[in-house]
Amino acid sequence: MEYTLRIKRFNPDKDVKPHFEDYVVDARPTDRVLDALNEIKWHQDGTLTYRRSCAHGVCGSDAMRINGRNRLACKMLMQELGKRTTIEPLIGFKVIKDLVVDMNKFFDAYKSIKPYLIADEAPGARERLQSPEERHRFDDTTKCILCAACTSSCPITWTNESYVGPAAIVNAHRFIFDSRDQGAGERLRILNQQSGVWRCRTIFNCTEACPRGIQVENAISEVKRALLLEEVS
Ligand code: SF4
Ligand code: F3S
Ligand code: FES
């Protein structure tokens, strides 16, 4: 079956501004968008540039805007698209080339919330134990693959460069509600600042965009509630 992919291209070495180029690919309805991009890169135009690695929805490297929605190219089937599909880089990020965006700011925001276990006591002879209920408390937010689909879909991040964004808050949530962690107060203080959770206006684009099905807005609300009720120290 023939599909037309309309891809936004930008080469900073020769283009003044981005433009669209059309490619016709012969693909099966069950092929993924990533397969179609590979077909173009390997057989039609080797200059087409995009990130990909695992090809199975795990590494988070191929998030892009497909027909106006943030999706992983390796998780989206051609049959879910029309005969003509528009593919663009994630918005709200500086484009480095074609579909590759600069993720430095995104990872700086991620690092700012201390995304690692903070525990004062040295580990004992065994692992740090927790009950299944305690583990369940933050299960949803452990699924994040740092693809940036949520942060790129949030209109607040488009206009407010300092907002840490939903992905950073999701990863803060993962540790704030972990019974083994003792850095919740520190992270909550960071997220209570001007650039933190109060920037979120409950727009929900983030939840819709997440390819892992994480209830992103819910995680943000839980962090807001923890700040209001001081339920985590
Ligand atoms: Fe991607 Fe979902 Fe993590 Fe956001 S929360 S970075 S959309 S996996
Ligand atoms: Fe943005 Fe999601 Fe909040 S889209 S405003 S982070 S609910
Ligand atoms: Fe790894 Fe798509 S290539 S998530």
Side-chain angles (χ1 to χ4, degrees), residues 43-91:
H43 302 292
Q44 296 186 31
D45 184 348
T47 67
L48 180 63
T49 307
Y50 49 97
R51 289 194 180 104
R52 79 285 192 195
S53 180
C54 71
H56 286 92
V58 178
C59 73
S61 61
D62 63 341
M64 53 189 72
R65 206 162 151 83
I66 302 174
N67 282 344
R69 294 184 154 187
N70 290 353
R71 295 288 182 261
L72 295 179
C74 65
K75 292 266 284 181
M76 188 116 201
L77 300 182
M78 298 304 286
Q79 66 191 16
E80 298 174 72
L81 312 168
K83 300 283 285 172
R84 195 172 162 79
T85 295
T86 302
I87 301 184
E88 301 162 88
L90 291 178
I91 55 176

Side-chain angles (χ1 to χ4, degrees), residues 115-118 128-145 167 169-182 184 187 212-216 218-220 222-223 231-232:
Y116 41 79
L117 188 89
I118 298 173
R128 298 174 200 271
L129 297 178
Q130 70 183 171
S131 68
E133 293 74 29
E134 287 170 333
R135 173 62 179 75
H136 184 71
R137 181 69 187 85
F138 60 97
D139 188 61
D140 198 34
T141 45
T142 61
K143 295 185 285 185
C144 179
I145 54 173
I169 303 171
V170 159
N171 284 280
H173 179 286
R174 181 255 169 271
F175 289 99
I176 287 171
F177 295 101
D178 186 333
S179 58
R180 299 163 299 183
D181 185 88
Q182 295 170 315
R187 290 190 196 90
R212 303 284 293 171
I214 297 171
Q215 297 302 304
V216 180
N218 185 56
I220 298 171
E222 289 189 352
V223 173
E231 65 182 39
V232 185

Side-chain angles (χ1 to χ4, degrees), residues 24 26-27 63 71 79 91 98 102 132 136-137 154-155 230:
V24 177
D26 194 15
R71 295 288 182 261
Q79 66 191 16
I91 55 176
D98 294 340
D102 184 346
H136 184 71
R137 181 69 187 85
C154 172
E230 295 178 6

